[in-house]
Amino acid sequence: MGFLNRLKTTLFAQDEVRRRAEEEAEFHLAMRTEEYLNQGMTEAEARQKARLSFGNVLSQQEQAGDTDMLAGLEGTMRDVRVGYRRLRRSPLFLVSSVLLLAIGLGVNAAVFSVLDTLFLRSLPFPAADRLVVLNEIRQGKNSNSNPKRIADWRSRVSGFEIVASSYGESMQLREREGNRPVNVVRVVGDWLGLLGAPMIEGRRFTDDELRGGKVAILTAKYRSLARVGDTIRLGADAYQVIGVVDNSAALGEDRHVLTPIAADLLDGPRKAGYLPVVARLKQGVSIAAAEAEASSVAEQLGREFPDSDRGTRVRIVRAQEAWSEDAREPALYIQGAAALLLLITLVNLAGLLAARAMERKKEDTVRLFLGAGRWHLIRLHLVESALLVGFGCGAAMLLAPWALALLQANYGDDFAPIKNAAIDVRVFGFLMLTGVLSTLLFASVMAWQSSREKDVRGQSQFQLRNLLIVSEAALGMVLLAAAFQLVRDFNALRFSPLGFKEQGLLSARAYLSWSTDEKELRAAIQQGMEKTAALPGVSGVAIVDRLPLEGESQDGPVFIQGLPEKTPETVGLRMASNQYFGLMGIPLLAGQLPTDDSAVLVNEAFAKRYLDNNAIGRNVSGDGKSWKRVAGVVASVRYSSKQALPRPEIFYSERTQYWPMLTFVIQTSQPAAALSPTLRKLWAEINADADFKGVSSMETRIDEIVVQPRRQRDIIVIFGVVALLLVVAGVYGIMASEMMRRRREMGIRIAIGASRSDIIGIALSRALVLGVAASALGSLLIVLVLKQWVDSLSTGCGVAAILAGILLAGFVPAWRGSRADPMVALRQD
Amino acid sequence: MSSKTRNDALSGSLTLLVLKTLALGEMHGYAVASRIQQMSSDLLRVEEGSLYPALHRMEQDGWIASRWGLTESNRKARFYTLTKTGQQQLEQEMESWRRITLGVSLVLDAV
C-alpha cells in the first residue's frame, strides 16, 4: 500500500506534494506567529522566532519531496533547482567564479584548438598520414635540397609515390595601372597531386609544363586577378593562366599564384639548397622502410657526386611533425602557462567552494538532521559544482573565439596552419572533459569539507584550504619565475648592449626575385647604394644580407688554409659592404677593411674558434679552390634571436655574394616616413620587379625582428600577473576568514595586554608560513621540471614576488583584526 | 540546542505520538504539535521540521488521511484523521512502546 502510494506520488504528484508542503508550512508559520504575538512579542520578533523554530522552510519542502522512489532524474532535477537557488543567493560569488572559469577554460580552449590544429589533427590533405618530409642532413644539420636531387629521390626511391617541392617568392604582377606585389609559389614536381589540392577550374600542370613552362594557376582566393586562358605578366615573363586551385595547395592563405619552377633553376647546381623535400609514401610503405631505402640511395649519390652529395644522411619524418616543428617551442610555452593558469584558477575556486561549504555547514547539518542522506548531500555538491562549471564552460565558449583570434593575430604569420584553427566540436569535447574533471575536483573538495561534521570550529577544517592555497601560490610562483626569466631573456636580447648602434639609422628593404640574374642583381645593388647616398640628408649607406638578430642567410662549412678538412660546423657566409660596420658601430678589432674582392672579414667568433685569434692574412675558401684572404676581424654580433651566442661568420663583399633580399642601412637625420616614398619611387626605376618593403627606423626594425620572443614574454607575463592576482585574492580570502574565526582569541590577547602590532605580527607570521611553504614547493617544481629554462635568479624573483603578494594580502585582514575593539570581539557569540 | 537532545530521544516515538494525538479526533499539523506539547505538560516539543515529513510519510503508509479545511479563524489548513489501519498501527505501537519502556525501567530499577 505504502509502496504503491509512494510510487504514485513520485510519478504523478510531485508538484502537488510540494505545493501542499508549502501551504502547510505557511499555515503553521502563521499560527506560530500568532501565538507569539499573543505572548506579547512584536510582529517582527514573532515572525522571526516562528521561522527559527520551524527551521528552514526550504528544507521542509525538499523533505516533503524526498519520498521519491525514482530518486534519479526527478531528484537530480530538484537538486539542480536547489543548486541554482543556492548559487543565486550569492550573486557575487557566482559571477566571479564563472568569470574565473571562463578565463581559465576559454584560454585553454583556444590554446587547445591551436595545438590540435598544429600537432594532433591530421593535415587537411588526402592521405595525409602518408605525407612525409625528407630531411637531408649535412654536417649534422638539416639542410634543404635542389631540383636535381629531388629528381633523384623521385626516380630512385621506390617507396615514394610522389616527390615534390615548392618555394615561395614575391614578385611584381604587371597590370595596366602599375605593378602589384604578389606571392608566387614555384612548384617542383607534382606538388598539386601530392597535396591532392582540388582544381576549381581548369587543369593542373602537365609533366611537360613542369619543366619550366610559362603557365600559372591562381589560388581560389585571388582568382579575380585574371581569367583562365588570360596571359599575366609576372616580372619580365608572360604566363598563361590554365586553372584555379583550392587554397590548400599553397599551404597558406596569402599566396596568389602557382607556377612551375624556372628551367634554369631546374638545371641549377647540386650544391644549392633551397627546397624542402616532401613526398607521399606508397601504400603500405613504412617511414622506416622508406628511410632505409633513401639512405642507401644517398650513399650511391655520395659516390656519384662526391663534391656535393658526400656525407649526406637522410631522415624522414611525418609532414605534420616537420611542419609544426618551429611552433613547438612557443606552443610549449603557451600551453604550459595556460595549463598552469587553469590549474591556479581551479585551485582558487576550489578554495572558495571549500569556504562556502564551511559556511553552509549549518544548513547541511540541518539537512542531515532532517534525514537527508550523506549521498544526497554529496549529490547536491556535485550538482552545484556541475552547474558552476556548466556556466563557466558556456562563458568559456563565448570567450574562446576571442582568445583564439588573439593567438591567431599574434602567431598566424609565423605558423600559417594556426589560421585554420577554429572553436569546433573537438574543442567543445576538450572543454567538456576539463569541465567534468573540474566538477569532480570541486565536488570532492566540498564534500570533504562538509563531511567533517565534528569539530565545527576546529582547526582541521582549515587544513584543506591551506593545502589548496599553498599549491595555488606555488603554481603562481612557478609562472611568475618563468615570466621573470622571459623578461630577463628578452632584455638581454634587446636592451643589453647588442654590439651595434641603432640611433640615427634607417633600414630599407628591397627584395629581388631569386631568379634575378647575377649581373642584374649587382647593378641593382650598385645603383641602390649610389642613388640612396645621393639623396639629400643622407650621410651614409651600406648594404647587408640580414640585420643582426634577423636570422640566417647563407651558411656552410669552409676550408681554412693549413687545415686538412672543412670546418666541422657550418659558418655564416654573410654579405656586407665595408660601410656597414662603420655605420652600425661594429668595431674593427684587427687588420683593416678589405680593399678588393679577394679579401674578406671574419668575426671575432670565427677568429677565436678556427684561427687561434690570429686571423689576418690567413686564407679561407668555400670550395677549396678559390681562396679569400682575411683582411680584418670585426666584433661578433648575434645573428639570431634564438641563439644566445654569436656564431663564426665570414663577411664577403656585396660584389661576390649572391643574395637578392637586399637590406640597406641608411644614416640620416630624416624620419623613415619622409624617406619612404622617395625610395619607393627610386626602386621602381632601378628594378621594376623589386619588392620594396619600405623604410623603418633601425629601432623599429629590430623590434619587428624580435617580435616573436617579445610576444612570448608578453603572454607569459600576462599569465603571471593574472596568477599573482588570483593568489592574492585567495590568500586574502583565507586570511580574512581566519581572522574572523580568531576574533575572540585576538580580543582576549588585546584584553590581556597584547599590542596591536603583536596582533598584526601573529597574523602576518601565519601568511608568511603560507608564503614560505608555497615558495619551497614552487622552487622544488622549478628544480624538478623547469631547471633548463628558469635559472635561480628568476626563481628568486618569483619567490620575492609571491611572498610580497601574500604578505600584502595578509596585511589587510591582520590590520583590521588588530583594530577590533576587544570588548566587541569578546561579546560575540 | 537543549531541545535537540530531547528530540533525539523523541524521534523514534514521533509516529506513536502523532497517531495517539490524532486518535483524539481530526486536527491540523499545528494542532498536533501544540497538543503533544500541551499533553506532555511542555516536557515534549515536536520539532516542526520533522512533524510534517512524518505526517506525509504516515499518510502514504495509509495510517492517516487528510483533507483541506478551514480553521475556526478561517484559515485554510490541512486536517488529518486516523484511518482504520492507523488505528491498528497505533495499538501495535503502543503495545511495543509499553514493552520497551517496561523493559527499560526494569533495567534502570534493577540496581
Side-chain angles (χ1 to χ4, degrees):
Chain A
M1 176 74 175
F3 172 82
L4 280 179
N5 269 333
R6 274 183 223 182
L7 189 63
K8 204 174 77 193
T9 312
T10 303
L11 289 179
F12 307 110
Q14 275 294 314
D15 281 346
E16 166 63 26
V17 168
R18 196 162 295 119
R19 205 163 38 242
R20 180 176 137 187
E22 271 169 26
E23 285 182 33
E24 280 203 271
E26 218 167 276
F27 164 71
H28 192 104
L29 275 174
M31 293 299 285
R32 194 58 98 200
T33 310
E34 212 164 277
E35 182 188 328
Y36 290 139
L37 276 173
N38 289 339
Q39 287 172 13
M41 290 187 190
T42 68
E43 188 168 338
E45 268 178 329
R47 191 157 295 149
Q48 198 199 357
K49 188 141 187 248
R51 207 165 266 279
L52 268 177
S53 78
F54 195 76
N56 195 333
V57 178
L58 184 73
S59 344
Q60 283 280 328
Q61 290 162 8
E62 271 163 46
Q63 188 68 15
D66 243 355
T67 41
D68 306 357
M69 289 283 300
L70 308 175
L73 189 63
E74 168 68 21
T76 310
M77 278 314 291
R78 196 182 56 242
D79 287 350
V80 169
R81 279 197 294 271
V82 173
Y84 176 64
R85 272 199 300 262
R86 296 225 272 202
L87 286 175
R88 217 180 41 186
R89 249 181 281 152
S90 33
L92 194 68
F93 170 78
L94 180 62
V95 168
S96 55
S97 44
V98 166
L99 213 62
L100 270 179
L101 276 173
I103 293 171
L105 290 173
V107 166
N108 274 275
V111 170
F112 173 81
S113 82
V114 165
L115 295 180
D116 187 39
T117 313
L118 283 179
F119 303 114
L120 303 177
R121 193 191 301 241
S122 57
L123 296 165
F125 305 120
D129 53 326
R130 288 191 280 136
L131 218 51
V132 295
V133 168
L134 182 150
N135 285 321
E136 296 175 1
I137 304 171
R138 277 179 285 277
Q139 267 85 34
K141 213 180 137 203
N142 278 349
S143 40
N144 280 326
S145 192
N146 53 61
K148 283 216 171 119
R149 206 175 295 120
I150 285 177
D152 289 337
W153 297 131
R154 191 185 305 141
S155 60
R156 300 192 194 192
V157 181
S158 66
F160 290 152
E161 194 174 287
I162 305 176
V163 182
S165 183
S166 76
Y167 71 96
E169 196 171 339
S170 68
M171 295 180 80
Q172 299 293 326
L173 175 68
R174 295 198 176 154
E175 293 177 322
R176 214 160 292 144
E177 313 85 68
N179 284 354
R180 171 189 175 135
V182 288
N183 296 316
V184 181
V185 179
R186 302 284 202 178
V187 308
V188 180
D190 188 9
W191 180 251
L192 296 178
L194 180 81
L195 298 182
M199 295 300 295
I200 288 167
E201 200 188 334
R203 57 175 179 82
R204 290 178 179 168
F205 302 121
T206 62
D207 285 350
D208 210 34
E209 285 166 344
L210 282 169
R211 285 189 280 276
K214 298 291 181 207
V215 284
I217 293 177
L218 297 173
T219 60
K221 198 172 160 195
Y222 295 100
R223 64 183 306 176
S224 61
L225 284 178
R227 278 190 304 272
V228 173
D230 283 359
T231 300
I232 53 172
R233 293 188 66 86
L234 286 170
D237 299 315
Y239 292 78
Q240 197 195 359
V241 177
I242 60 164
V244 177
V245 70
D246 184 63
N247 270 75
S248 65
L251 288 180
E253 290 290 313
D254 54 348
R255 313 288 166 84
H256 301 76
V257 54
L258 293 88
T259 77
I261 192 171
D264 55 337
L265 284 177
L266 269 182
D267 287 331
R270 288 191 75 90
K271 273 192 176 169
Y274 58 97
L275 292 172
V277 186
V278 187
R280 188 198 283 166
L281 299 175
K282 281 190 182 143
Q283 198 100 42
V285 174
S286 73
I287 288 188
E291 189 172 289
E293 195 190 355
S295 295
S296 69
V297 170
E299 271 172 43
Q300 268 175 40
L301 291 175
R303 284 192 292 276
E304 287 172 40
F305 309 98
D307 257 11
S308 55
D309 286 39
R310 198 156 51 101
T312 298
R313 289 188 305 108
V314 167
R315 213 170 81 80
I316 296 182
V317 290
R318 262 179 212 298
Q320 173 151 32
E321 218 173 286
W323 287 340
S324 48
E325 191 154 351
D326 288 345
R328 211 166 282 267
E329 192 189 291
L332 191 75
Y333 270 103
I334 295 175
Q335 180 193 23
L340 269 183
L341 193 69
L342 179 63
L343 210 55
I344 293 173
T345 313
L346 292 182
V347 172
N348 194 309
L349 258 185
L352 282 177
L353 283 169
R356 259 172 82 79
M358 218 156 59
E359 281 165 24
R360 261 216 321 263
K361 172 80 63 123
K362 243 182 211 160
E363 186 184 328
D364 283 347
T365 313
V366 170
R367 278 174 199 278
L368 276 176
F369 195 75
L370 290 179
R374 177 125 311 185
W375 162 237
H376 187 189
L377 280 190
I378 292 176
R379 203 173 64 188
L380 264 181
H381 291 317
L382 205 60
V383 166
E384 199 177 334
S385 312
L387 267 178
L388 202 60
V389 171
F391 288 141
C393 281
M397 282 302 273
L398 297 180
L399 192 87
W402 184 78
L404 179 61
L406 201 73
L407 281 174
Q408 282 169 330
N410 272 321
Y411 289 94
D413 293 340
D414 303 308
F415 310 110
I418 289 183
K419 290 180 178 161
N420 298 326
I423 304 298
D424 56 10
V425 181
R426 292 163 66 98
V427 179
F428 187 71
F430 165 81
L431 260 182
M432 291 303 285
L433 187 71
T434 324
V436 167
L437 291 177
S438 348
T439 304
L440 289 177
L441 169 78
F442 292 164
S444 44
V445 163
M446 287 170 82
W448 165 265
Q449 194 66 265
S450 71
S451 68
R452 323 196 70 204
E453 54 183 327
K454 285 172 195 155
D455 189 15
V456 173
R457 18 192 66 233
Q459 291 283 347
S460 70
Q461 308 192 342
F462 287 85
Q463 278 168 8
L464 177 68
R465 281 193 77 190
N466 285 342
L467 191 69
L468 288 174
I469 201 80
V470 166
S471 22
E472 178 188 348
L475 294 175
M477 195 224 108
V478 171
L479 213 44
L480 280 170
F484 274 114
Q485 184 68 49
L486 284 181
V487 168
R488 286 178 49 225
D489 285 354
F490 184 79
N491 287 351
L493 174 67
R494 185 65 186 88
F495 299 113
S496 57
L498 291 170
F500 61 91
K501 71 173 185 129
E502 298 171 35
Q503 294 76 29
L505 293 179
L506 301 180
S507 100
R509 286 175 298 150
Y511 288 1
L512 271 60
S513 155
W514 280 94
S515 51
T516 312
D517 107 343
E518 192 165 341
K519 227 184 257 165
E520 199 182 332
L521 177 66
R522 305 270 171 251
I525 292 176
Q526 198 187 350
Q527 284 186 47
M529 298 264 284
E530 284 169 3
K531 291 190 172 173
T532 311
L535 293 174
V538 172
S539 53
V541 181
I543 185 163
V544 69
D545 49 2
R546 299 214 132 173
L547 290 174
L549 304 177
E550 200 175 354
E552 298 177 2
S553 51
Q554 303 190 59
D555 56 20
V558 290
F559 289 98
I560 295 168
Q561 206 162 42
L563 299 180
E565 289 277 330
K566 278 184 173 181
T567 54
E569 304 97 341
T570 58
V571 305
L573 306 174
R574 306 287 309 271
M575 172 186 90
S577 66
N578 280 348
Q579 301 93 321
Y580 172 74
F581 303 97
L583 289 185
M584 294 287 283
I586 298 171
L588 184 67
L589 302 174
Q592 55 192 356
L593 295 173
T595 46
D596 59 70
D597 294 345
S598 67
V600 294
L601 291 169
V602 297
N603 69 356
E604 195 184 3
F606 188 96
K608 276 194 175 149
R609 174 83 180 78
Y610 299 116
L611 303 172
D612 300 324
N613 238 350
N614 182 19
I616 310 301
R618 306 281 290 272
N619 290 304
V620 294
S621 166
D623 54 10
K625 288 166 203 149
S626 64
W627 294 86
K628 303 269 186 191
R629 188 176 49 81
V630 176
V633 178
V634 291
S636 303
V637 173
R638 283 172 69 175
Y639 75 101
S640 157
S641 62
K642 291 188 182 122
Q643 307 295 321
L645 294 172
R647 63 170 179 180
E649 288 177 326
I650 302 176
F651 288 92
Y652 291 90
S653 144
E654 76 280 13
R655 290 177 296 275
T656 58
Q657 273 304 79
Y658 185 90
W659 184 262
M661 297 162 73
L662 308 178
T663 298
F664 292 88
V665 176
I666 305 167
Q667 187 176 52
T668 175
S669 50
Q670 294 189 57
L675 211 56
S676 200
T678 324
L679 273 177
R680 187 176 294 280
K681 227 174 83 200
L682 204 147
W683 271 101
E685 289 163 18
I686 296 174
N687 189 316
D689 297 321
D691 179 17
F692 185 70
K693 300 273 189 194
V695 182
S696 43
S697 77
M698 189 61 74
E699 285 103 330
T700 316
R701 182 68 196 129
I702 302 282
D703 280 346
E704 270 171 37
I705 290 170
V706 297
V707 71
Q708 187 67 48
R710 181 197 302 273
R711 279 180 194 140
Q712 223 144 293
R713 175 199 67 171
D714 288 350
I715 284 192
I716 307 291
V717 166
I718 290 173
F719 282 10
V721 169
V722 172
L724 183 63
L725 289 178
L726 285 174
V727 170
V728 166
V731 172
Y732 175 81
I734 202 171
M735 289 300 294
S737 74
E738 168 136 346
M739 284 312 282
M740 210 54 197
R741 191 175 58 84
R742 293 172 67 182
R743 245 173 113 174
R744 214 176 148 84
E745 175 197 332
M746 296 303 168
I748 293 174
R749 283 176 190 272
I750 293 175
I752 60 176
S755 69
R756 302 217 182 272
S757 56
D758 290 338
I759 301 297
I760 294 182
I762 291 169
L764 278 190
S765 65
R766 174 105 181 74
L768 195 64
V769 168
L770 286 181
V772 168
S775 304
L777 188 59
S779 308
L780 188 70
L781 275 176
I782 289 177
V783 169
L784 289 180
V785 187
L786 296 172
K787 201 167 58 185
Q788 260 176 288
W789 295 286
V790 180
D791 66 13
S792 50
L793 180 59
S794 299
T795 307
C797 291
V799 167
I802 208 78
L803 277 181
I806 287 178
L807 285 179
L808 190 73
F811 183 77
V812 178
W815 185 79
R816 234 178 15 213
S818 76
R819 297 278 115 184
D821 182 341
M823 290 323 287
V824 174
L826 285 172
R827 232 185 287 131
Q828 287 267 312
D829 313 309
Chain B
M1 275 292 179
S2 59
S3 69
K4 222 179 235 174
T5 29
R6 230 182 298 162
N7 237 342
D8 281 345
L10 215 148
S11 59
S13 54
L14 182 61
T15 318
L16 174 59
L17 291 174
V18 171
L19 287 172
K20 175 72 190 169
T21 313
L22 283 179
L24 298 174
E26 188 179 48
M27 61 183 82
H28 46 68
Y30 178 73
V32 172
S34 316
R35 236 357 172 354
I36 293 176
Q37 198 172 339
Q38 192 190 338
M39 289 193 300
S40 68
S41 317
D42 278 346
L43 276 175
L44 299 178
R45 259 204 72 172
V46 179
E47 179 99 348
E48 287 94 337
S50 28
L51 172 65
Y52 287 98
L55 282 171
H56 192 74
R57 205 170 46 240
M58 287 155 75
E59 184 177 0
Q60 290 202 325
D61 286 335
W63 301 343
I64 59 177
S66 69
R67 64 168 183 92
W68 288 110
L70 289 179
T71 65
E72 306 94 80
S73 51
N74 251 351
R75 282 183 202 276
K76 190 182 165 196
R78 191 93 186 163
F79 285 82
Y80 296 87
T81 49
L82 207 58
T83 61
K84 224 174 222 154
T85 342
Q87 189 70 44
Q88 287 164 8
Q89 183 69 20
L90 172 61
E91 276 156 26
Q92 261 178 40
E93 295 222 351
M94 273 167 64
E95 178 56 31
S96 74
W97 175 259
R98 290 208 177 97
R99 251 205 325 270
I100 289 171
T101 44
L102 179 65
V104 171
S105 51
L106 284 175
V107 171
L108 291 181
D109 295 342
V111 183

